[in-house]
């Protein structure tokens, strides 16, 4: 790997020279030349480059376990925080600084793209996100909008504020990494179709199985089935559910690509693609119905000039197939030992994970043992990012999270190349 992505520094310098530049005018493209070496150990690890130590951050590091976040929630709903750049940036910054992590992930929600697509949702206490009119028909999918992604620019404005706050290197000389994110096509489709989180994904799989479009990646025609579905729909040929799934995948890829591009233009160093519910799929189903659109989305994001992290839960059996998406980093949940997960993913990608988030409730000696076990299994190989195997849960002791950061920082030291 001899190309390091450093768009955030370049774009920040451009904005300093030209304050009138806007997100809309900034169109990041893949690098054509090797830029200066990345100063972020997090970004270097994403690219499997040597680092001085293992970088660490946490899924849901800004959340309900933090008193500072709960103080904000007393006055604002989750969606109000997401849609108000000043508050979203404040929550993001507070968590990163309180914990002392190496990367800050923007505070947002996977389902935000639903609204500009014409699908309303809300969060209900005790139930999570609820879509009141789930997508179940071809006509509903045909009516989903793909031309209103500028309605999501509030997320990019929040990222810009976070980038500005962390623009100077930290005391150790490291540049804090900034992470943007999007949901994966399958996970977002499952919310659209089920109307909420689900145990069995019956309606989602029914729509998948109704698809008459096979997926064959032997010659990398990832987008072909989905583009064909759009063409049939526009010409009036698509009249039944056989075209519904590929059309939905195509629309999601289009919207998510534009949304990710906004975040990269705002300064995100890395984009994480969350496929939270991919573990509900067999390997055959994932390959036939989800691999192509996911690969297409990741390829389009990588073309923006940033590394991509791809993460799913309960996906150990899918890791070899996940590798075919060409994501730079694969996230592991806690159910598989890190070294086994890395072998399954193959040597060509970095690995993120994979402490069980409930271990944060364990006695200090147990917590330290589990952290050191993961670091031992990683064996100081370039490309390991320490994280949890899923998000931090409510009521987690903040002190335990901070202790994990301390343990990671003190437990290994490597010489950068």
């Amino acid at each position: 790997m001899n190309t390091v992505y450093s768009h955030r520094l370049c774009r920040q310098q451009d904005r300093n020279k030209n304050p009138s530049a806007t997100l809309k005018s900034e169109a990041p493209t893949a690098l054509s030349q090797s830029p200066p070496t990345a100063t972020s150990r997090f970004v270097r690890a994403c690219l499997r480059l040597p680092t001085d130590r293992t970088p660490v951050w946490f899924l849901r590091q800004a959340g309900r376990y933090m008193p500072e976040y709960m103080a904000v929630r007393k006055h604002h709903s989750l969606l109000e925080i997401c849609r108000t750049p000043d508050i979203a940036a404040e929550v993001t910054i507070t968590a990163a600084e309180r914990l002392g992590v190496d990367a800050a992930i923007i505070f947002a929600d996977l389902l935000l793209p639903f609204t500009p697509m014409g699908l309303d949702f809300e969060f209900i206490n005790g139930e999570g996100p609820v879509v009141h009119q789930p997508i179940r028909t071809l006509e509903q999918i045909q009516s989903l909008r793909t031309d209103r992604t500028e309605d999501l620019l509030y997320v990019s404005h929040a990222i810009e504020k976070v980038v500005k706050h962390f623009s100077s290197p930290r005391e150790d000389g490291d540049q804090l990494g900034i992470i943007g994110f999007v949901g994966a096509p399958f996970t977002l489709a499952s919310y659209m179709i089920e109307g909420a989180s689900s145990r069995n994904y019956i309606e989602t799989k029914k729509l998948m199985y109704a698809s008459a479009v096979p997926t064959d990646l032997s010659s990398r025609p990832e987008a072909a089935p989905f583009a064909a579905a759009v063409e049939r729909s526009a010409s009036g040929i698509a009249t039944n559910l056989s075209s519904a799934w590929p059309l939905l995948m195509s629309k999601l890829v289009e919207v998510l690509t534009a949304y990710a591009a906004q975040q990269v233009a705002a300064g995100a160093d890395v984009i994480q693609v969350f496929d939270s519910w991919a573990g509900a799929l067999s390997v055959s189903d994932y390959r036939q119905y989800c691999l192509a659109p996911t690969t297409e989305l990741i390829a389009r994001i990588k073309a923006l000039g940033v590394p991509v992290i791809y993460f799913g839960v309960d996906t150990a059996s899918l890791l070899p197939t996940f590798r075919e998406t060409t994501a730079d980093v694969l996230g592991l949940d806690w159910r598989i030992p890190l070294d086994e997960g890395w072998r399954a993913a193959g040597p060509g990608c970095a690995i993120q994970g994979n402490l069980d988030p409930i271990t944060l409730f364990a006695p200090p000696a147990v917590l330290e043992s589990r952290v050191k076990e993961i670091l031992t299994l990683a064996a100081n190989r370039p490309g390991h990012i320490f994280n949890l195997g899923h998000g931090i849960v409510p009521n987690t002791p903040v002190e335990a999270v901070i202790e994990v950061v301390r343990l990671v920082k003190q437990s290994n030291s490597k010489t950068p190349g």
Side-chain angles (χ1 to χ4, degrees):
M1 178 65 67
N2 57 15
T3 298
V4 181
Y5 304 97
S6 60
H7 286 291
R8 176 155 69 92
L9 177 59
C10 297
R11 283 194 303 273
Q12 191 66 53
Q13 292 172 341
D14 289 342
R15 279 196 291 271
N16 291 338
K17 295 177 182 177
N18 181 17
S20 63
T22 64
L23 280 173
K24 189 173 181 180
S25 65
E26 295 175 325
T29 58
L31 294 177
S32 57
Q33 301 178 6
S34 297
T37 301
T39 57
S40 166
R41 66 172 61 92
F42 167 69
V43 175
R44 290 180 64 87
C46 289
L47 297 169
R48 295 182 292 119
L49 295 171
T51 57
D52 58 339
R53 63 166 173 80
T54 302
V56 54
W57 71 280
F58 302 99
L59 300 168
R60 288 200 208 120
Q61 63 189 21
R64 289 177 290 171
Y65 76 104
M66 268 198 164
E68 296 90 338
Y69 173 76
M70 293 309 296
V72 175
R73 280 299 305 272
K74 287 182 179 179
H75 306 286
H76 303 280
S77 69
L78 173 61
L79 289 178
E80 285 174 345
I81 296 173
C82 293
R83 291 167 175 164
T84 309
D86 284 341
I87 303 176
E90 174 192 345
V91 169
T92 303
I93 292 165
T94 298
E97 291 185 335
R98 175 83 187 275
L99 301 177
V101 290
D102 296 307
I105 185 166
I106 193 63
F107 189 89
D109 188 80
L110 290 182
L111 307 193
L112 294 178
F114 284 12
T115 303
M117 293 183 77
L119 193 63
D120 292 329
F121 71 98
E122 65 174 328
F123 285 88
I124 297 178
N125 288 336
E127 296 185 36
V130 174
V131 176
H132 293 293
Q133 294 183 321
I135 298 295
R136 302 285 173 82
T137 68
L138 176 61
E139 291 73 22
Q140 287 176 300
I141 294 170
Q142 289 171 327
S143 69
L144 291 173
R145 299 281 295 271
T146 60
D147 60 344
R148 294 167 49 189
T149 52
E150 287 193 6
D151 291 355
L152 295 168
L153 282 172
Y154 54 82
V155 174
S156 297
H157 294 321
I159 290 175
E160 285 189 316
K161 293 176 183 296
V162 175
V163 168
K164 182 178 180 180
H165 181 86
F166 290 115
S167 59
S168 299
R170 298 182 289 172
E171 290 184 1
D172 64 356
D174 181 66
Q175 189 79 45
L176 191 87
I178 307 297
I179 307 170
F181 70 88
V182 298
F186 171 78
T187 290
L188 292 192
S190 71
Y191 275 113
M192 286 181 164
I193 297 165
E194 301 293 338
S197 57
S198 172
R199 284 180 177 271
N200 299 309
Y201 303 92
I202 294 172
E203 297 300 328
T204 303
K205 292 185 178 183
K206 282 166 59 179
L207 195 66
M208 271 188 356
Y209 295 147
S211 172
V213 181
T215 297
D216 178 7
L217 288 179
S218 59
S219 58
R220 281 188 62 87
E222 292 93 347
F226 311 104
V230 175
E231 183 178 350
R232 287 195 300 273
S233 175
S235 64
I237 298 174
T239 58
N240 55 52
L241 284 180
S242 66
S243 293
W245 181 260
L247 179 59
L248 179 57
M249 293 292 99
S250 176
K251 288 195 170 189
L252 283 169
V253 168
E254 182 177 353
V255 169
L256 295 171
T257 299
Y259 182 34
Q262 292 172 0
Q263 296 180 57
V264 172
D269 297 306
V270 174
I271 297 293
Q272 175 149 323
V273 177
F274 283 90
D275 214 348
S276 307
W277 310 133
L281 296 169
S282 68
V283 174
S284 294
D285 283 348
Y286 181 85
R287 292 191 68 85
Q288 182 167 353
Y289 300 106
C290 301
L291 178 57
T294 304
T295 301
E296 175 69 11
L297 173 64
I298 288 173
R300 292 187 187 188
I301 296 174
K302 289 177 66 174
L304 300 171
V306 295
V308 175
I309 303 170
Y310 183 42
F311 173 73
V313 180
D314 203 9
T315 55
S317 64
L318 291 169
L319 288 173
T321 309
F322 275 9
R323 182 67 199 107
E324 296 180 39
T325 67
T326 73
D328 299 280
V329 186
L330 294 183
L332 303 181
D333 71 15
W334 68 94
R335 296 175 179 87
I336 185 171
L338 186 134
D339 58 339
E340 290 185 23
W342 211 331
R343 280 196 298 271
C349 69
I351 289 294
Q352 180 172 278
N354 65 332
L355 183 70
D356 182 345
I358 308 307
T359 309
L360 294 167
F361 292 89
V366 175
L367 180 61
E368 180 176 0
S369 173
R370 295 296 183 269
V371 170
K372 289 184 175 180
E373 177 185 5
I374 290 169
L375 292 172
T376 298
L377 294 176
N380 277 343
R381 284 175 287 179
H384 177 226
I385 301 159
F386 194 99
N387 207 311
L388 303 179
H390 204 352
I392 297 176
V393 303
N395 301 316
T396 295
V398 178
E399 295 75 16
V401 185
I402 294 173
E403 176 64 7
V404 170
V405 175
R406 186 190 71 81
L407 289 169
V408 173
K409 289 181 177 180
Q410 293 187 358
S411 291
N412 61 86
S413 179
K414 297 175 282 187
T415 301

